[in-house]
Amino acid sequence: MGDEPFYELAYKFRRILVPVSPMNPARLRELLNVAIDFGERYGADIVFLYVASSENDPAVDQLRKSVEEFASRKGVKHSFKVRKMGEGETVASEIVKELSENTYDMVILLSRGYYGASALLYNSTSIAVALAANTSVLILR
């Protein structure tokens, strides 16, 4: 082996949840690139999740199209799922529900850049999910 870094994973990432939302196209591409990389490296099935605020959320079709185009070009197994936010629920609580109702080995989230006390003040979705998730969490800053 020589000087090459080496590590073994205790398990493989077979199914990964990747919540998406309307965002800057460059940030969406960053998230998609990381998710697709995990899909390619581990043969993972990637489930992209959008938490809609209503039945007729106009962002659903555009997000689905962007994600499908990107993931299909890379040839990674993927699906696009939409959950409608329940009354009194938050995006974070819907993501945590999805994690608890289905089997995932990891969730990959984008951060808006808040951390510490400011993350709590601004209701950081990524921090809330990381604290409540029943699986590995990767937060991209």
Side-chain angles (χ1 to χ4, degrees), residues 17-22 49-53 57 83-86 88-99 107 109-110 112 123-126 128-129:
L17 181 67
V18 182
V20 294
S21 63
L49 173 71
Y50 176 62
V51 178
S53 56
D57 191 326
R83 286 184 73 111
K84 183 183 172 294
M85 198 176 341
E89 298 291 338
T90 64
V91 172
S93 66
E94 286 296 333
I95 294 169
V96 171
K97 274 189 200 175
E98 177 67 23
L99 289 169
V107 60
L109 299 158
L110 270 181
R112 291 178 292 179
N123 297 322
S124 170
T125 299
S126 58
V129 171

Side-chain angles (χ1 to χ4, degrees), residues 26-138:
R27 291 287 284 162
L28 180 60
R29 232 180 355 271
E30 178 185 349
L31 177 64
L32 295 176
N33 275 324
V34 171
I36 297 303
D37 184 56
F38 270 84
E40 290 173 338
R41 284 181 193 276
Y42 301 107
D45 184 15
I46 308 297
V47 178
F48 295 98
L49 173 71
Y50 176 62
V51 178
S53 56
S54 67
E55 291 289 332
N56 300 320
D57 191 326
V60 172
D61 292 331
Q62 182 57 42
L63 268 173
R64 184 187 314 264
K65 182 181 175 196
S66 297
V67 166
E68 289 291 333
E69 285 177 2
F70 193 89
S72 294
R73 276 197 315 256
K74 300 292 186 171
V76 172
K77 294 180 291 184
H78 67 280
S79 59
F80 189 91
K81 190 172 192 175
V82 178
R83 286 184 73 111
K84 183 183 172 294
M85 198 176 341
E87 189 164 327
E89 298 291 338
T90 64
V91 172
S93 66
E94 286 296 333
I95 294 169
V96 171
K97 274 189 200 175
E98 177 67 23
L99 289 169
S100 64
E101 292 170 2
N102 297 284
T103 304
Y104 294 98
D105 300 307
M106 175 185 268
V107 60
I108 301 174
L109 299 158
L110 270 181
S111 169
R112 291 178 292 179
Y114 299 119
Y115 56 91
S118 62
L120 298 174
L121 279 173
Y122 294 110
N123 297 322
S124 170
T125 299
S126 58
I127 298 299
V129 171
L131 291 172
N134 60 358
T135 191
S136 298
V137 177
L138 174 62

